[in-house]
């Protein structure tokens, strides 16, 4: 069964702190892995996409890594800001579909 | 280039009525995906369509739910005889190609409330 797990479920940090969100998946036969951001009552915004042959991707203060063999990905956020407060979703693509984790709710306090 | 469009954004139905949710993919995209997000749960895949074809409907409930993506016009997710458990956010995504090289772009979602 293809399952995606995210840890922690919620995280509250002071502004300026560096933080790491974790994602693990049970089936390593992935096409790619994506990290999304979802604001309350809103849609999804794609942050980073890592193809199965890649090990990491970077965009601004965000860095995502992928270790297919161990079934893990991390999203690193540097110098967090209150505007980073949102739910972060990890999604693994298997063929025709994305399998999502339950998300990490991040709150950055000013 | 407009993003993925979904309408309506909010839909209220009484038990037993029909709900029709529309999704217009991004320009040039011929692959459409529907996902459902139940309250306090993650997003779950429902169905994957290309123009005039259902490719993968492994996540669709067996009864009352159907989807189409006609040659012309938006993709439609249809829920017949809605029940309270159908209350959820329904998201549509589109991509230009299927597979590893292209991300799925998500619409803002339709929030269905069944009274």
């Amino acid at each position: 069964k293809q399952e995606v797990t995210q840890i922690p479920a919620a995280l509250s940090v002071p502004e300026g702190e560096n933080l790491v969100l974790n994602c693990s998946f049970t089936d390593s036969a992935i096409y790619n892995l994506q990290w999304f951001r979802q604001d309350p009552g809103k849609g999804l915004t794609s942050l980073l996409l890592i193809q199965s042959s890649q090990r990491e991707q970077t965009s601004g203060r965000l860095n995502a890594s992928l270790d297919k063999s161990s079934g893990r990905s991390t999203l690193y956020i540097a110098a967090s800001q209150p505007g980073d407060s949102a739910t972060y979703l990890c999604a693994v693509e298997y063929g025709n579909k994305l399998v999502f984790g339950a998300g990490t709710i991040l709150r950055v306090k000013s | 280039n407009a993003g993925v469009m979904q309408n309506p954004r909010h839909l209220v139905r009484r038990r037993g009525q029909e709900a029709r949710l529309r999704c217009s993919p991004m320009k040039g995209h011929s692959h459409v995906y529907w996902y459902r997000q139940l309250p306090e749960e993650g997003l779950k895949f429902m169905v994957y369509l290309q123009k005039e074809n259902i490719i993968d409907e492994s996540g669709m409930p067996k009864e009352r739910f159907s989807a189409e993506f006609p040659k012309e016009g938006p993709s439609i997710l249809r829920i017949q005889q809605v029940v309270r458990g159908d209350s959820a956010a329904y998201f549509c995504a589109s991509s230009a190609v299927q597979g590893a090289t292209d991300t799925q772009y998500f619409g803002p979602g339709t929030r269905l409330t069944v009274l």
Side-chain angles (χ1 to χ4, degrees):
Chain A
K1 186 177 179 183
Q2 295 160 340
E3 294 181 342
V4 178
T5 303
Q6 290 188 246
I7 295 173
L11 184 61
S12 182
V13 300
E15 183 177 4
E17 193 159 300
N18 302 325
L19 55 97
V20 175
L21 308 182
N22 296 290
C23 172
S24 61
F25 46 94
T26 55
D27 184 349
S28 62
I30 70 173
Y31 275 41
N32 60 49
L33 184 145
Q34 294 185 60
W35 284 92
F36 291 89
R37 168 184 173 142
Q38 185 176 28
D39 293 284
K42 305 290 186 182
L44 280 69
T45 300
S46 180
L47 299 173
L48 291 164
L49 179 150
I50 311 176
Q51 297 181 24
S52 61
S53 58
Q54 298 177 323
R55 293 195 63 86
E56 68 176 337
Q57 283 285 344
T58 298
S59 176
R61 295 183 292 109
L62 305 180
N63 175 274
S65 67
L66 173 64
D67 185 342
K68 264 185 60 176
S69 61
S70 66
R72 296 180 187 277
S73 175
T74 60
L75 178 66
Y76 176 82
I77 303 177
S80 59
Q81 302 170 358
D84 294 332
S85 298
T87 297
Y88 289 80
L89 299 170
C90 171
V92 179
E93 180 163 354
Y94 295 104
N96 301 325
K97 64 184 180 183
L98 292 173
V99 178
F100 283 84
T104 294
I105 301 172
L106 172 65
R107 180 183 171 213
V108 181
K109 298 172 289 186
S110 56
Chain B
N1 187 9
V4 177
M5 309 282 283
Q6 289 189 250
N7 68 81
R9 295 291 305 276
H10 300 274
L11 182 62
V12 179
R13 286 287 179 265
R14 297 191 180 278
R15 282 178 297 169
Q17 292 183 319
E18 178 179 289
R20 291 172 70 89
L21 288 63
R22 296 175 191 78
C23 169
S24 296
M26 286 181 68
K27 187 176 181 181
H29 286 190
S30 59
H31 302 255
V32 167
Y33 314 79
W34 286 93
Y35 295 83
R36 177 167 67 172
Q37 187 174 36
L38 292 166
E40 308 303 322
E41 294 188 20
L43 281 88
K44 304 291 185 188
F45 168 81
M46 299 182 75
V47 63
Y48 161 48
L49 310 101
Q50 295 180 24
K51 286 284 188 181
E52 300 184 279
N53 287 300
I54 297 173
I55 308 301
D56 182 352
E57 56 181 349
S58 58
M60 287 278 271
K62 300 298 182 193
E63 298 177 345
R64 302 187 297 108
F65 285 72
S66 62
E68 62 178 11
F69 188 16
K71 186 176 181 181
E72 301 291 338
S75 175
I76 306 289
L77 180 67
R78 183 182 177 203
I79 311 172
Q80 295 178 291
Q81 299 175 325
V82 296
V83 301
R84 288 214 173 108
D86 296 333
S87 295
Y90 292 82
F91 291 95
C92 168
S94 73
S95 67
V97 297
Q98 181 267 325
T101 59
D102 193 32
T103 189
Q104 294 182 18
Y105 295 85
F106 280 77
T110 293
R111 279 154 183 82
L112 172 66
T113 300
V114 179
L115 301 177

